[in-house]
Amino acid sequence: MAKTLFDKIWDAHIVKPVEGGQDVLYIDRHFIHEVTSPQAFDGLRQRNIPVFRTKNTVATADHNVPTINQHLPIADPLSRFQVEKLTENCEEFGVDLYGLGHRWQGIVHVIGPELGITQPGMTIVCGDSHTSTHGAFGTIAFGIGTSQVEQVLASQCLLLKRPKRMRITVDGELAEGVVSKDIILYIISKLSAAGGTGYFVEYAGSAIRSLSMEARMTICNMSIEMGARGGLIAPDETTFEYVRGREFAPQGAAFEAAVAKWRELYSDPEAVFDKEYHYRAEDIAPMITYGTNPGMGVPVNEAIPTAPTPGDSLASFEKSLGYMGFAAGENLLGKPIHHVFIGSCTNSRIEDLRLAAKFVQGKQKAPHVSAMIVPGSKQVEQQAKAEGLDKIFIAAGFEFREPGCSACLGMNEDKVPAGEYCVSTSNRNFEGRQGPGRGRFWRVR
Amino acid sequence: MEKFTHIISTAVPLPMEDVDTDQIIPARFLKATTREGFGDNLFRDWRYHPDGSPKADFVLNNPTYSGKILVAGKNFGCGSSREHAAWSLTDYGFKVVVSSFFADIFRGNALNNGLLPVQVSPAFLHEMFTAIENDPQTKFIVSLEHQTIAIAGTEREEQFDIDPFRKVCMLNGYDDIDYLLSLKDEIEEFERVREGEKKEVLI
């Protein structure tokens, strides 16, 4: 029977179907970080059980770490305690940790792919909703809660109901200056912040095929912003070439054998999806969001709509604009900004930094604007330095920081002060997401 | 996990859509390493001014409304996967969240913590909001066994869906982890078979 790519991978990981429509699904890779794991390790201790498969488990510290002076002890006592707890837990349970000071430390969804831990055909989970990023390699990757982190640590399995399948096809050629972030913001603006709930999405079409792995990761990363549990893209030569030679990828003959298997990872031509959408790449323009959910996006040169889009009520629309301090029908171009944040698991890879450097080279930021570049990992940071990108940023008045999630969620010191505007490359424009006050947030590519 | 069978309670109305988990519990409160105490910071930025004083117009600060049921607009719990959102709702005292639509990860997290997500039709949700508005003392009867939610003192009742496996777990207070641990032999067998397949490919 014809199968979707999603079903091929899912079926290959069923340990046992359970009465009532759930499957016991085997998990190939489990990434953990300091924020959503401590209670899970406590659970193991209470049951007096080990981590079932330490070799399938990798940890890093990213959500809660400072992005300056990482060689010094963390100043905030709660953050320090949480990061130390991760180190203790990993030591006690024998889990590999690439924590602060390690040459591989970084945002969990950046380091997995760059180390070759993420490979086509795998099932991958992490206590973080942007785990969908890894779907760019043709994996089933999704975020889980802490109870499930504990379940995977204890058994390497999860009890799950198979989601429905959606395919989003983008054919055609992207216009000059339109990048993958624009594609996904365009899709979410069409489908709304809840349009993908209950589904796992496959992205297909010539416009998706033409993208680099970094660009594909940006798209899959934001699948959760339309409510989808995850998104994936069938692996191809671009994927195989990216994985080849990486630290934890199969090497030599084993790699060639793996590629032969990975070539079978595609949706059969007759496979049926529960829902299909088609878009034309030519219709997509550079995008920006104006509100407080990721569905509230418009082309950057167009005005804010005068009425709520189909996913939202009038009350939510008005509340959102009230928070942002914008009026319906207003244009965003020309609005003053106070901060620029380039980083997060969505856009902190070397390709993103190269693009940003191209824009700012030889220019100078306005004196009243603070601008921050936060690379996604130590390896990205080193690569950027090797290419001299750090010097370009610093010359333009930007700060070049050390890796972490930073102002994407504002758990560390990197927060937008009350009432100020920030243009950001991250993934969520929720109220207060970048700071406790009325820090405002536009999301751009 | 605590057992859940049925509940009769007044409800707290939150008629907003797309309530994301960053609103339920802001990221800066995720530094704790235990599951307790999150209720104090539930809806923190909607509930308190930056100086810590309560915002009078937020529903949790309005003594008119109370109860173990939270009634919210559609797409409740979207965004971050943080289970702390479910912990903060249960720690505050909620046992049931009613909405016309739930985000996937939140729904799973709630069920893993004995917090029942009840998905109703948009029309019934509207009726519930109206009933609370007319009389904040209106009680609602939620029966997990019968999968029904009713407005007490009226004929109004609606069925809700729940995965049969999840229902059994909640009714009996079972955790997934107990079940998964019981499958150790089958999981190891699965691993052995897969290892064998990989070797075959290499030969």
Side-chain angles (χ1 to χ4, degrees), chain A residues 222-305:
Chain A
M222 290 193 65
S223 304
I224 184 72
E225 307 312 333
M226 55 179 159
R229 198 66 188 268
L232 77 173
I233 296 172
D236 57 12
E237 295 307 321
T238 308
T239 321
F240 309 146
E241 283 316 304
Y242 181 97
V243 177
R244 184 192 295 274
R246 292 192 182 261
E247 200 71 32
F248 293 95
Q251 309 290 335
F255 180 78
E256 297 310 324
V259 168
K261 274 195 88 173
W262 295 343
R263 286 189 199 283
E264 295 163 20
L265 296 171
Y266 54 85
S267 287
D268 295 327
E270 297 82 27
V272 178
F273 289 80
D274 298 287
K275 223 172 215 178
E276 293 234 36
Y277 293 98
H278 294 266
Y279 299 107
R280 280 162 29 100
E282 291 78 6
D283 293 340
I284 303 173
M287 298 286 289
I288 190 164
T289 67
Y290 57 86
T292 57
N293 81 53
M296 298 170 126
V298 284
V300 70
N301 57 357
E302 280 183 21
I304 297 170

Coordinates of all heavy atoms in Angstrom, one line a residue, chain A residues 222-305:
Chain A
M222 N 9.4 26.0 12.6 CA 8.2 26.8 12.9 C 6.9 26.0 12.6 O 5.8 26.6 12.8 CB 8.2 28.1 12.2 CG 9.3 29.0 12.8 SD 9.2 30.8 12.3 CE 7.7 31.3 12.9
S223 N 7.0 24.8 12.4 CA 5.7 24.0 12.2 C 4.8 24.1 13.4 O 3.6 24.2 13.3 CB 6.1 22.5 12.0 OG 7.0 22.3 10.9
I224 N 5.5 24.1 14.6 CA 4.7 24.2 15.8 C 3.9 25.5 15.9 O 2.9 25.6 16.6 CB 5.6 24.0 17.0 CG1 4.9 24.0 18.4 CG2 6.7 25.1 17.1 CD1 4.1 22.7 18.6
E225 N 4.4 26.5 15.2 CA 3.7 27.8 15.3 C 2.4 27.9 14.6 O 1.6 28.8 14.7 CB 4.6 29.0 14.8 CG 6.0 29.0 15.5 CD 6.0 28.9 17.0 OE1 5.0 29.3 17.6 OE2 7.0 28.4 17.5
M226 N 2.1 26.8 13.8 CA 0.7 26.7 13.3 C 0.0 25.5 14.0 O -1.0 25.0 13.5 CB 0.7 26.5 11.8 CG 1.5 25.4 11.2 SD 1.4 25.3 9.4 CE 2.9 24.4 9.0
G227 N 0.6 25.1 15.1 CA 0.0 24.1 15.9 C 0.3 22.6 15.5 O 0.0 21.7 16.3
A228 N 1.0 22.4 14.4 CA 1.4 21.1 14.0 C 2.5 20.5 15.0 O 3.3 21.3 15.5 CB 2.0 21.1 12.6
R229 N 2.4 19.2 15.2 CA 3.3 18.6 16.1 C 4.7 18.7 15.6 O 5.7 18.8 16.3 CB 2.9 17.2 16.4 CG 3.5 16.6 17.7 CD 3.0 17.3 18.9 NE 3.7 16.9 20.1 CZ 3.3 15.9 20.9 NH1 2.2 15.3 20.6 NH2 3.9 15.6 22.0
G230 N 4.8 18.5 14.2 CA 6.1 18.6 13.6 C 6.0 18.8 12.1 O 4.8 18.7 11.6
G231 N 7.1 18.9 11.4 CA 7.1 19.0 10.0 C 8.3 18.3 9.5 O 9.4 18.3 10.1
L232 N 8.2 17.7 8.3 CA 9.4 17.0 7.8 C 9.5 17.2 6.3 O 8.6 17.6 5.6 CB 9.4 15.5 8.2 CG 8.5 14.5 7.5 CD1 8.9 13.1 7.9 CD2 7.1 14.7 7.8
I233 N 10.7 17.0 5.8 CA 11.0 17.1 4.4 C 11.8 15.9 3.9 O 12.7 15.5 4.6 CB 11.9 18.4 4.1 CG1 11.1 19.7 4.5 CG2 12.4 18.5 2.7 CD1 12.0 20.9 4.5
A234 N 11.4 15.3 2.8 CA 12.1 14.1 2.4 C 13.6 14.4 2.1 O 13.9 15.4 1.5 CB 11.4 13.6 1.1
P235 N 14.4 13.5 2.6 CA 15.9 13.7 2.4 C 16.3 13.5 1.0 O 15.6 12.7 0.2 CB 16.5 12.6 3.3 CG 15.5 11.6 3.5 CD 14.2 12.2 3.4
D236 N 17.3 14.3 0.5 CA 17.8 14.2 -0.9 C 19.3 14.4 -0.8 O 19.9 14.4 0.2 CB 17.0 15.2 -1.8 CG 17.2 16.6 -1.3 OD1 18.0 16.9 -0.4 OD2 16.4 17.5 -1.8
E237 N 19.9 14.6 -2.0 CA 21.3 14.8 -2.1 C 21.8 15.9 -1.1 O 22.9 15.8 -0.5 CB 21.8 15.1 -3.5 CG 21.5 14.0 -4.5 CD 22.1 12.6 -4.0 OE1 23.2 12.6 -3.5 OE2 21.4 11.6 -4.2
T238 N 21.0 17.0 -1.1 CA 21.4 18.1 -0.2 C 21.5 17.6 1.3 O 22.4 18.0 2.0 CB 20.3 19.2 -0.2 OG1 20.1 19.6 -1.6 CG2 20.7 20.5 0.5
T239 N 20.6 16.8 1.7 CA 20.6 16.2 3.0 C 21.8 15.3 3.2 O 22.5 15.5 4.2 CB 19.3 15.4 3.3 OG1 18.2 16.0 2.6 CG2 19.1 15.2 4.7
F240 N 22.0 14.4 2.3 CA 23.1 13.5 2.5 C 24.5 14.2 2.5 O 25.3 13.9 3.3 CB 23.1 12.4 1.3 CG 21.8 11.8 1.1 CD1 21.4 11.4 -0.2 CD2 20.9 11.5 2.1 CE1 20.1 10.8 -0.4 CE2 19.7 10.9 1.9 CZ 19.3 10.6 0.6
E241 N 24.6 15.2 1.7 CA 25.9 15.9 1.6 C 26.1 16.7 2.9 O 27.2 16.9 3.4 CB 25.9 16.9 0.4 CG 26.2 16.2 -0.9 CD 27.3 15.1 -0.7 OE1 28.5 15.5 -0.3 OE2 27.1 13.9 -1.0
Y242 N 25.0 17.2 3.5 CA 25.1 17.9 4.8 C 25.6 16.9 5.9 O 26.4 17.3 6.7 CB 23.8 18.5 5.2 CG 23.8 19.3 6.5 CD1 24.0 20.7 6.5 CD2 23.7 18.7 7.7 CE1 24.1 21.4 7.7 CE2 23.8 19.4 8.9 CZ 23.9 20.7 8.9 OH 24.0 21.4 10.1
V243 N 25.0 15.7 5.9 CA 25.3 14.8 7.0 C 26.7 14.2 6.8 O 27.4 13.9 7.8 CB 24.2 13.7 7.0 CG1 24.5 12.6 8.1 CG2 22.8 14.3 7.3
R244 N 27.1 14.0 5.6 CA 28.4 13.3 5.3 C 29.6 13.9 6.1 O 29.7 15.1 6.1 CB 28.7 13.4 3.8 CG 30.0 12.7 3.4 CD 30.4 13.0 2.0 NE 29.4 12.7 1.0 CZ 29.4 11.5 0.4 NH1 30.3 10.5 0.7 NH2 28.5 11.2 -0.6
G245 N 30.3 13.0 6.8 CA 31.5 13.5 7.4 C 31.3 14.1 8.8 O 32.3 14.4 9.5
R246 N 30.1 14.3 9.2 CA 29.9 14.9 10.5 C 30.2 14.0 11.7 O 30.2 12.7 11.5 CB 28.5 15.5 10.7 CG 28.3 16.6 9.7 CD 27.1 17.4 9.9 NE 27.0 18.5 8.9 CZ 27.4 19.7 9.1 NH1 27.8 20.1 10.2 NH2 27.4 20.6 8.1
E247 N 30.6 14.5 12.8 CA 31.1 13.8 14.0 C 30.4 12.5 14.2 O 31.1 11.4 14.4 CB 31.0 14.7 15.2 CG 31.9 14.3 16.3 CD 33.3 14.6 16.0 OE1 33.6 15.6 15.3 OE2 34.2 13.9 16.5
F248 N 29.1 12.5 14.4 CA 28.4 11.3 14.8 C 27.7 10.6 13.6 O 26.9 9.6 13.8 CB 27.4 11.6 15.9 CG 28.1 12.0 17.2 CD1 28.3 13.3 17.5 CD2 28.6 11.0 18.0 CE1 28.9 13.7 18.6 CE2 29.2 11.4 19.2 CZ 29.4 12.7 19.5
A249 N 27.9 11.0 12.4 CA 27.3 10.4 11.2 C 28.1 9.1 10.9 O 29.2 8.9 11.3 CB 27.4 11.3 10.0
P250 N 27.4 8.1 10.3 CA 28.1 6.9 9.9 C 29.3 7.3 8.9 O 29.1 8.3 8.2 CB 27.1 6.1 9.2 CG 25.8 6.8 9.4 CD 26.0 8.1 9.9
Q251 N 30.3 6.6 9.0 CA 31.5 6.9 8.1 C 31.8 5.8 7.1 O 31.4 4.7 7.3 CB 32.7 7.1 9.0 CG 32.6 8.1 10.2 CD 32.4 9.5 9.8 OE1 32.9 10.0 8.7 NE2 31.7 10.3 10.7
G252 N 32.4 6.2 6.0 CA 32.8 5.2 5.0 C 31.7 4.4 4.4 O 30.7 4.9 4.0
A253 N 32.0 3.0 4.5 CA 31.0 2.1 3.9 C 29.6 2.2 4.6 O 28.6 2.1 4.0 CB 31.5 0.7 3.9
A254 N 29.7 2.4 5.9 CA 28.5 2.5 6.7 C 27.7 3.7 6.3 O 26.4 3.6 6.2 CB 28.8 2.6 8.2
F255 N 28.3 4.8 5.9 CA 27.6 6.0 5.4 C 26.9 5.6 4.1 O 25.7 6.0 3.9 CB 28.5 7.2 5.3 CG 27.8 8.4 4.8 CD1 27.1 9.2 5.6 CD2 27.9 8.8 3.4 CE1 26.4 10.3 5.2 CE2 27.2 9.9 3.0 CZ 26.5 10.7 3.9
E256 N 27.6 5.0 3.2 CA 27.0 4.7 1.9 C 25.8 3.7 2.0 O 24.8 3.9 1.4 CB 28.1 4.0 0.9 CG 29.3 4.9 0.6 CD 28.9 6.3 0.1 OE1 27.8 6.4 -0.6 OE2 29.5 7.3 0.5
A257 N 26.0 2.8 3.0 CA 24.9 1.9 3.2 C 23.7 2.6 3.8 O 22.5 2.4 3.4 CB 25.3 0.8 4.2
A258 N 24.0 3.6 4.7 CA 22.9 4.4 5.3 C 22.2 5.2 4.2 O 21.0 5.3 4.1 CB 23.5 5.3 6.4
V259 N 23.0 5.8 3.3 CA 22.4 6.6 2.2 C 21.4 5.8 1.4 O 20.4 6.2 1.0 CB 23.5 7.3 1.4 CG1 22.9 7.9 0.1 CG2 24.2 8.4 2.2
A260 N 21.9 4.5 1.1 CA 21.0 3.7 0.3 C 19.7 3.5 0.9 O 18.6 3.5 0.3 CB 21.7 2.3 0.1
K261 N 19.7 3.3 2.3 CA 18.4 3.2 3.0 C 17.6 4.5 3.0 O 16.4 4.6 2.9 CB 18.7 2.8 4.4 CG 18.8 1.3 4.6 CD 18.7 0.9 6.0 CE 17.2 0.6 6.5 NZ 17.1 0.1 7.8
W262 N 18.4 5.6 3.2 CA 17.7 6.9 3.3 C 17.0 7.3 2.0 O 16.1 8.1 2.0 CB 18.7 8.0 3.7 CG 19.3 7.8 5.0 CD1 18.8 7.1 6.0 CD2 20.6 8.4 5.5 NE1 19.7 7.1 7.1 CE2 20.7 7.9 6.9 CE3 21.5 9.3 5.0 CZ2 21.8 8.3 7.7 CZ3 22.6 9.7 5.8 CH2 22.7 9.2 7.1
R263 N 17.5 6.7 0.9 CA 16.9 7.1 -0.4 C 15.5 6.5 -0.5 O 14.7 6.9 -1.4 CB 17.7 6.5 -1.6 CG 19.0 7.3 -1.8 CD 19.7 6.8 -3.1 NE 21.1 7.2 -3.1 CZ 21.5 8.4 -3.4 NH1 20.7 9.4 -3.7 NH2 22.8 8.7 -3.4
E264 N 15.1 5.6 0.3 CA 13.7 5.1 0.3 C 12.8 6.0 1.1 O 11.6 5.7 1.2 CB 13.7 3.7 0.9 CG 14.5 2.7 0.1 CD 14.9 1.4 0.9 OE1 14.2 1.1 1.9 OE2 15.8 0.7 0.5
L265 N 13.3 7.0 1.7 CA 12.5 7.9 2.6 C 11.8 9.0 1.7 O 12.3 10.1 1.6 CB 13.3 8.5 3.7 CG 13.9 7.4 4.7 CD1 14.9 8.1 5.6 CD2 12.8 6.8 5.5
Y266 N 10.7 8.6 1.2 CA 9.9 9.6 0.5 C 8.4 9.2 0.5 O 8.2 8.0 0.7 CB 10.3 9.8 -1.0 CG 10.4 8.5 -1.8 CD1 9.2 8.0 -2.4 CD2 11.6 7.7 -1.8 CE1 9.3 6.8 -3.0 CE2 11.6 6.5 -2.5 CZ 10.4 6.0 -3.1 OH 10.4 4.8 -3.7
S267 N 7.5 10.1 0.2 CA 6.1 9.7 0.2 C 5.8 9.0 -1.2 O 6.2 9.6 -2.2 CB 5.2 10.9 0.4 OG 5.2 11.3 1.7
D268 N 5.2 7.9 -1.2 CA 4.9 7.2 -2.4 C 3.9 8.1 -3.2 O 3.1 8.8 -2.7 CB 4.2 5.9 -2.2 CG 5.1 4.9 -1.5 OD1 6.4 5.0 -1.7 OD2 4.7 4.1 -0.6
P269 N 4.1 8.1 -4.6 CA 3.2 9.0 -5.4 C 1.7 8.8 -5.1 O 1.0 9.8 -5.2 CB 3.6 8.5 -6.8 CG 4.9 7.9 -6.7 CD 5.0 7.2 -5.4
E270 N 1.3 7.6 -4.8 CA -0.2 7.5 -4.6 C -0.6 7.7 -3.1 O -1.8 7.5 -2.8 CB -0.6 6.1 -5.0 CG -0.5 5.8 -6.5 CD 0.9 5.3 -6.8 OE1 1.6 4.8 -5.9 OE2 1.4 5.5 -7.9
A271 N 0.4 8.0 -2.3 CA 0.1 8.1 -0.8 C -1.0 9.2 -0.6 O -1.0 10.3 -1.3 CB 1.3 8.5 -0.1
V272 N -1.9 9.0 0.3 CA -3.0 9.9 0.6 C -2.7 10.7 1.9 O -2.4 10.1 2.9 CB -4.3 9.2 0.7 CG1 -5.4 10.1 1.0 CG2 -4.6 8.4 -0.6
F273 N -2.9 12.0 1.8 CA -2.8 12.9 2.9 C -4.2 13.3 3.4 O -5.1 13.4 2.6 CB -1.9 14.1 2.6 CG -0.5 13.8 2.4 CD1 0.0 13.3 1.2 CD2 0.5 14.0 3.4 CE1 1.3 13.0 1.0 CE2 1.8 13.7 3.2 CZ 2.2 13.2 2.0
D274 N -4.3 13.5 4.7 CA -5.6 13.9 5.2 C -5.9 15.4 4.8 O -7.1 15.7 4.7 CB -5.6 13.9 6.8 CG -5.4 12.4 7.2 OD1 -6.3 11.6 7.1 OD2 -4.3 12.1 7.7
K275 N -4.9 16.1 4.5 CA -5.1 17.5 4.1 C -4.0 17.9 3.2 O -2.8 17.6 3.5 CB -5.2 18.4 5.3 CG -6.3 19.5 5.2 CD -6.5 20.2 6.5 CE -7.9 20.5 6.7 NZ -8.1 21.2 8.0
E276 N -4.3 18.7 2.1 CA -3.2 19.2 1.2 C -3.4 20.6 1.0 O -4.5 21.1 0.8 CB -3.2 18.4 -0.1 CG -2.9 17.0 0.0 CD -1.8 16.6 -0.9 OE1 -0.8 17.4 -1.1 OE2 -1.8 15.4 -1.5
Y277 N -2.3 21.4 0.9 CA -2.3 22.8 0.5 C -1.2 23.0 -0.5 O -0.2 22.4 -0.4 CB -2.0 23.7 1.7 CG -3.1 23.7 2.8 CD1 -3.0 22.9 3.9 CD2 -4.2 24.5 2.7 CE1 -4.0 22.9 4.9 CE2 -5.2 24.5 3.6 CZ -5.1 23.7 4.7 OH -6.1 23.7 5.7
H278 N -1.5 23.9 -1.5 CA -0.6 24.2 -2.5 C -0.3 25.7 -2.5 O -1.3 26.5 -2.5 CB -1.1 23.7 -3.9 CG -1.2 22.3 -4.0 ND1 -0.1 21.5 -4.5 CD2 -2.1 21.4 -3.6 CE1 -0.5 20.2 -4.5 NE2 -1.7 20.1 -3.9
Y279 N 0.9 26.1 -2.6 CA 1.2 27.6 -2.7 C 2.2 27.8 -3.9 O 3.0 26.9 -4.2 CB 1.8 28.1 -1.4 CG 0.8 28.0 -0.3 CD1 1.0 27.0 0.7 CD2 -0.4 28.8 -0.2 CE1 0.1 26.9 1.8 CE2 -1.3 28.6 0.8 CZ -1.0 27.7 1.8 OH -1.9 27.6 2.9
R280 N 2.2 29.0 -4.4 CA 3.2 29.3 -5.4 C 4.2 30.2 -4.8 O 4.0 31.2 -4.2 CB 2.4 30.1 -6.5 CG 1.7 29.2 -7.5 CD 0.7 30.1 -8.3 NE 1.1 31.5 -8.5 CZ 1.6 32.0 -9.6 NH1 1.8 31.2 -10.6 NH2 2.0 33.2 -9.6
A281 N 5.5 29.8 -5.0 CA 6.6 30.6 -4.5 C 6.6 32.0 -4.9 O 7.0 32.9 -4.2 CB 7.9 29.9 -4.9
E282 N 6.1 32.3 -6.1 CA 6.1 33.6 -6.7 C 5.2 34.6 -5.9 O 5.3 35.8 -6.0 CB 5.6 33.6 -8.2 CG 6.6 33.0 -9.1 CD 6.6 31.4 -9.1 OE1 5.7 30.8 -8.4 OE2 7.5 30.8 -9.7
D283 N 4.2 34.0 -5.2 CA 3.3 34.8 -4.4 C 3.8 35.3 -3.1 O 3.2 36.0 -2.3 CB 2.0 34.0 -4.1 CG 1.2 33.7 -5.4 OD1 1.4 34.5 -6.4 OD2 0.4 32.8 -5.4
I284 N 5.0 34.7 -2.7 CA 5.5 35.0 -1.3 C 6.5 36.2 -1.4 O 7.4 36.3 -2.2 CB 6.3 33.8 -0.8 CG1 5.3 32.6 -0.8 CG2 6.8 34.0 0.6 CD1 5.9 31.2 -0.4
A285 N 6.2 37.1 -0.5 CA 7.1 38.3 -0.3 C 7.8 38.3 1.0 O 7.4 37.5 1.9 CB 6.2 39.6 -0.4
P286 N 8.8 39.1 1.3 CA 9.4 39.2 2.6 C 8.3 39.5 3.6 O 7.4 40.4 3.4 CB 10.4 40.4 2.5 CG 10.7 40.4 1.0 CD 9.5 40.0 0.3
M287 N 8.3 38.8 4.8 CA 7.2 38.8 5.7 C 7.6 39.5 7.1 O 8.8 39.4 7.5 CB 6.7 37.4 6.0 CG 6.1 36.7 4.8 SD 4.5 37.3 4.3 CE 3.4 36.7 5.7
I288 N 6.6 40.0 7.8 CA 6.9 40.5 9.2 C 5.6 40.2 9.9 O 4.5 40.1 9.3 CB 7.2 42.0 9.1 CG1 7.7 42.5 10.5 CG2 6.0 42.8 8.6 CD1 8.4 43.8 10.4
T289 N 5.7 40.1 11.3 CA 4.4 39.9 12.0 C 4.1 41.2 12.8 O 5.0 42.0 13.1 CB 4.5 38.8 13.1 OG1 5.4 39.1 14.1 CG2 4.8 37.5 12.4
Y290 N 2.9 41.5 13.0 CA 2.4 42.7 13.6 C 1.7 42.5 14.9 O 1.4 43.5 15.7 CB 1.5 43.5 12.7 CG 0.2 42.7 12.3 CD1 -0.9 42.6 13.1 CD2 0.2 41.9 11.2 CE1 -2.0 41.9 12.8 CE2 -0.8 41.1 10.8 CZ -2.0 41.1 11.7 OH -3.0 40.3 11.4
G291 N 1.4 41.3 15.3 CA 0.6 41.0 16.4 C 1.3 40.1 17.4 O 2.5 40.0 17.5
T292 N 0.4 39.3 18.2 CA 1.0 38.5 19.2 C 0.7 37.0 19.1 O 0.7 36.2 20.0 CB 0.4 38.9 20.6 OG1 -1.0 38.9 20.5 CG2 0.8 40.3 21.0
N293 N 0.4 36.6 17.8 CA 0.5 35.2 17.5 C 1.1 35.0 16.2 O 1.0 36.0 15.3 CB -0.8 34.4 17.7 CG -1.8 34.5 16.6 OD1 -1.4 34.3 15.4 ND2 -3.0 34.9 16.9
P294 N 1.8 33.9 15.9 CA 2.6 33.8 14.7 C 1.8 33.8 13.4 O 2.3 34.0 12.3 CB 3.3 32.5 14.9 CG 3.2 32.1 16.3 CD 1.9 32.7 16.8
G295 N 0.5 33.7 13.5 CA -0.4 33.8 12.3 C -0.6 35.2 11.9 O -1.1 35.4 10.7
M296 N -0.2 36.2 12.7 CA -0.5 37.6 12.4 C 0.7 38.1 11.6 O 1.4 39.0 12.0 CB -0.7 38.3 13.6 CG -1.9 37.9 14.4 SD -2.1 38.6 16.0 CE -3.7 39.3 16.0
G297 N 0.9 37.6 10.4 CA 2.0 38.1 9.5 C 1.5 38.7 8.3 O 0.4 38.4 7.7
V298 N 2.3 39.7 7.8 CA 1.9 40.4 6.5 C 3.2 40.6 5.7 O 4.3 40.7 6.3 CB 1.3 41.8 6.7 CG1 -0.2 41.6 7.1 CG2 2.0 42.6 7.7
P299 N 3.1 40.8 4.4 CA 4.3 41.2 3.6 C 4.8 42.5 4.2 O 3.9 43.4 4.6 CB 3.7 41.4 2.2 CG 2.6 40.5 2.1 CD 2.0 40.5 3.5
V300 N 6.1 42.7 4.3 CA 6.6 43.8 5.0 C 6.2 45.2 4.5 O 6.1 46.2 5.2 CB 8.2 43.7 5.1 CG1 8.8 43.9 3.7 CG2 8.8 44.6 6.2
N301 N 5.9 45.3 3.2 CA 5.5 46.6 2.7 C 3.9 46.7 2.6 O 3.4 47.7 2.1 CB 6.1 46.8 1.3 CG 5.7 45.6 0.3 OD1 5.0 44.7 0.8 ND2 6.1 45.7 -0.9
E302 N 3.2 45.8 3.2 CA 1.8 45.9 3.3 C 1.3 46.4 4.7 O 2.0 46.2 5.6 CB 1.1 44.6 2.9 CG 1.0 44.4 1.4 CD 0.3 43.1 1.1 OE1 -0.5 42.6 1.9 OE2 0.6 42.6 0.0
A303 N 0.1 47.0 4.7 CA -0.4 47.5 5.9 C -1.0 46.4 6.8 O -1.3 45.3 6.3 CB -1.5 48.5 5.7
I304 N -1.1 46.6 8.1 CA -1.8 45.7 9.0 C -3.2 45.6 8.6 O -3.8 46.6 8.2 CB -1.7 46.3 10.5 CG1 -0.2 46.4 10.9 CG2 -2.5 45.4 11.4 CD1 -0.1 47.1 12.3
P305 N -3.8 44.4 8.6 CA -5.2 44.3 8.1 C -6.1 45.1 9.0 O -5.8 45.5 10.1 CB -5.5 42.8 8.3 CG -4.2 42.1 8.6 CD -3.2 43.1 9.0

